């Protein structure tokens, strides 16, 4: 066996991570497979590898041969062995963009300006009613207009009564009912800002800060991360986001993306004790059929837009009313695997240096599981964690 070009073995907590640059993939190798790979890299022949396996792991000749064959088949299936390379997967062809509309008349009577990340967005409405629906969810992102816009979103009713949403005069989305409008507009603002911003990784996570560090809460929908993030913001932490962590630079610092918190209708009662006016906010209908409210963060909780915070800890929350609220240490390899499950976008071509930096970042960052039955107890645990990090 010989390593395929562009394949590198790195280590996290003494466990092997095989990086295959042509496919832009990472693979976890167990101890035996990592050991065999090291011997392959040294150019050892089959017989030498079997002998070293027997000596190192006290294996019989048959067991050593079995481990070797299993590892060889695995590495071949990954395309990591010369002669078994796989063709790079074809990049997805982006859908063809509609032609810009050629409006020859001015239908817009209301205009707002919002900023998020590095985007300055002008939003125009064909009537005041549409502006009244959208603005409460975005008003905390209001831009003073001193910086020229780099995107324009237009919202208007067409001749059939449907609501059309355009970005830079290109039709993007549409809906037939007003109750569906705000989720579409909020999502478009988010996508517009993220796509125009320079970052390394986009992780699906809640993010809060303590003035020194930020804390990531990566989790799948329904885990309670938005509820936890909201409760922490109410209890004095900075609000970065309830659903997106953008990691920047070699140190993988995080910036605020403070869109309004999405609260499902079923979670209104839980969070109303923190924000009594929550039940009075308008209900909206998402494409997935969920009825939601959007709760803008209190401005006192939102850090300046140019803030970059180092990550103090990565905490994977899970709401479970039948378990004790408890913070438990998580191994870094398991943390990396869980984190990658919530990675939405890698906005750069991965190379050996970038992957090495990512593994080093995970290895030096404390990682935990947080079982949540009581929000108050969970807030206390995160507060204690913050104090421990500050005191050293």
């Amino acid at each position: 066996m010989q390593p395929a070009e562009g394949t590198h073995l790195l280590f996290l907590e003494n466990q092997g991570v095989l990086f295959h640059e042509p496919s832009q993939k990472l693979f976890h190798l167990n101890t035996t497979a990592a050991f065999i790979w090291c011997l392959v890299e040294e150019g050892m022949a089959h017989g030498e590898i079997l002998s070293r396996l027997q000596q190192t792991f006290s294996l019989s000749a048959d067991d050593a041969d079995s481990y070797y064959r299993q590892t060889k088949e695995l590495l071949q299936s990954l395309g990591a062995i010369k002669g078994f390379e796989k063709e790079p997967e074809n990049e997805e062809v982006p859908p063809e963009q509609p032609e810009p509309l050629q409006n020859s008349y001015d239908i817009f009577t209301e205009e707002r300006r919002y900023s998020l990340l590095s985007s300055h967005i002008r939003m125009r409405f064909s009537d005041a009613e549409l502006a009244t629906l959208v603005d409460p969810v975005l008003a905390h992102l209001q831009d003073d207009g001193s910086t020229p816009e780099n995107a324009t979103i237009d919202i208007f009713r067409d001749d059939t009564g449907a609501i059309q949403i355009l970005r830079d005069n290109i039709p993007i989305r549409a809906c037939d009912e007003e109750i569906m409008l705000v989720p579409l507009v909020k999502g478009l603002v988010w996508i517009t800002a993220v796509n125009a911003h320079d970052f390394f990784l986009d992780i699906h996570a809640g993010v809060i800060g303590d003035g020194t560090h930020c804390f990531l809460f990566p989790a799948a929908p329904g885990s309670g991360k938005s509820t936890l993030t909201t409760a922490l913001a109410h209890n004095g932490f900075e609000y970065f986001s309830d659903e997106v962590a953008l990691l920047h630079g070699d140190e993988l610092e995080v910036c605020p993306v403070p869109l309004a918190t999405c609260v499902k209708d079923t979670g209104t009662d839980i969070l109303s004790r923190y924000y009594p006016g929550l039940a009075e906010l308008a209900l909206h209908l998402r494409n997935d059929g969920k009825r939601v409210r959007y709760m803008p963060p209190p401005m006192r909780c939102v850090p300046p837009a140019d803030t970059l915070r180092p990550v103090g800890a990565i905490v994977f929350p899970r709401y479970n009313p039948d378990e004790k609220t408890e913070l438990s240490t998580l191994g870094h390899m398991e943390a990396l695997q869980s984190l990658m499950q919530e990675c939405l976008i890698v906005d750069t071509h991965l190379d050996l240096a970038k992957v090495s930096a990512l593994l080093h970042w995970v290895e030096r960052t404390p990682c935990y599981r947080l079982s949540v039955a009581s929000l108050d107890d969970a807030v206390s645990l995160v507060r204690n964690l913050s104090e421990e990090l500050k005191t050293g």
Side-chain angles (χ1 to χ4, degrees):
M1 289 193 290
Q2 290 182 317
E5 186 175 349
T7 308
H8 312 276
L9 180 66
L10 303 99
F11 289 91
L12 177 62
E13 281 189 330
N14 298 317
Q15 298 186 62
V17 177
L18 197 66
F19 169 49
H20 188 234
E21 186 170 353
S23 67
Q24 293 285 283
K25 292 181 179 179
L26 303 176
F27 305 99
H28 175 207
L29 299 185
N30 63 25
T31 302
T32 308
F35 181 78
I36 292 173
W37 178 267
C38 290
L39 301 183
V40 169
E41 283 190 327
E42 292 178 18
M44 285 192 181
H46 177 207
E48 293 177 287
I49 293 176
L50 293 183
S51 177
R52 291 286 295 274
L53 280 172
Q54 289 178 261
Q55 295 170 12
T56 304
F57 298 99
S58 300
L59 298 174
S60 67
D62 287 344
D63 285 343
D65 185 63
S66 176
Y67 281 127
Y68 176 85
R69 286 188 290 101
Q70 290 176 25
T71 302
K72 182 178 180 179
E73 290 173 3
L74 169 68
L75 295 173
Q76 289 174 345
S77 71
L78 301 180
I81 296 300
K82 190 170 289 186
F84 291 85
E85 297 90 343
K86 295 182 179 180
E87 291 293 325
E89 295 180 7
N90 293 328
E91 294 186 4
E92 291 186 10
V93 178
E96 186 175 341
Q97 289 286 350
E99 289 294 322
L101 297 183
Q102 302 298 322
N103 288 336
S104 58
Y105 53 92
D106 187 2
I107 60 173
F108 303 107
T109 62
E110 300 281 335
E111 182 173 303
R112 303 287 189 274
R113 301 266 179 153
Y114 306 109
S115 61
L116 182 65
L117 297 171
S118 49
S119 291
H120 299 270
I121 299 171
R122 176 177 65 162
M123 193 171 294
R124 301 188 297 181
F125 304 87
S126 62
D127 59 71
E129 185 178 0
L130 294 177
T132 301
L133 288 170
V134 171
D135 189 60
V137 178
L138 300 176
H140 65 290
L141 303 175
Q142 184 174 345
D143 190 332
D144 61 12
S146 59
T147 303
E149 71 272 5
N150 44 27
T152 296
I153 294 176
D154 292 330
I155 304 170
F156 64 93
R157 302 179 198 269
D158 64 19
D159 294 339
T160 69
I163 302 173
Q164 301 291 335
I165 305 171
L166 279 61
R167 182 177 59 201
D168 297 331
N169 225 29
I170 295 176
I172 301 294
R173 296 173 179 174
C175 60
D176 295 323
E177 301 179 67
E178 291 181 352
I179 195 172
M180 302 176 68
L181 174 64
V182 170
L184 296 177
V185 174
K186 184 199 175 203
L188 182 56
V189 168
W190 175 6
I191 290 171
T192 299
V194 168
N195 286 348
H197 196 64
D198 183 26
F199 62 93
F200 175 34
L201 295 179
D202 177 353
I203 305 294
H204 183 238
V207 187
I208 56 97
D210 64 4
T212 303
H213 306 93
C214 68
F215 298 83
L216 305 192
F217 299 96
S223 62
K225 65 174 171 47
S226 293
T227 302
L228 177 61
T229 303
T230 302
L232 287 163
H234 174 79
N235 280 275
F237 285 89
E238 297 169 309
Y239 176 83
F240 277 63
S241 176
D242 78 317
E243 56 187 336
V244 56
L246 296 183
L247 308 183
H248 296 74
D250 294 337
E251 298 302 314
L252 298 188
E253 296 177 307
V254 179
C255 66
V257 190
L259 288 162
T261 300
C262 178
V263 181
K264 298 182 182 68
D265 193 24
T266 53
T268 301
D269 291 343
I270 298 172
L271 288 176
S272 288
R273 68 187 181 100
Y274 297 113
Y275 297 94
L278 176 59
E280 306 304 318
L281 297 178
L283 270 174
H284 306 280
L285 182 64
R286 296 194 316 201
N287 280 341
D288 60 3
K290 297 283 195 312
R291 296 170 69 86
V292 300
R293 291 180 170 88
Y294 292 110
M295 184 172 63
M299 291 309 297
R300 59 178 171 77
C301 300
V302 179
D306 59 354
T307 299
L308 279 176
R309 290 258 197 277
V311 177
I314 305 171
V315 181
F316 295 88
R318 183 187 62 175
Y319 174 68
N320 191 331
D322 299 323
E323 292 185 5
K324 178 183 177 182
T325 299
E326 188 173 35
L327 193 67
S328 55
T329 303
L330 185 65
H332 292 288
M333 180 60 76
E334 187 179 352
L336 175 64
Q337 293 170 326
S338 298
L339 191 69
M340 290 300 96
Q341 289 177 8
E342 302 305 328
C343 183
L344 303 178
I345 303 173
V346 180
D347 196 42
T348 183
H349 179 86
L350 293 176
D351 57 25
L352 183 58
K354 290 185 175 72
V355 173
S356 297
L358 173 63
L359 298 189
H360 179 62
W361 173 75
V362 172
E363 192 163 38
R364 72 174 187 263
T365 303
C367 300
Y368 302 91
R369 290 270 185 215
L370 177 59
S371 175
V372 180
S374 162
L375 267 181
D376 290 340
D377 290 345
V379 168
S380 295
L381 288 172
V382 174
R383 188 180 301 283
N384 291 341
L385 179 60
S386 170
E387 293 301 324
E388 289 174 10
L389 287 171
K390 286 182 178 179
T391 57

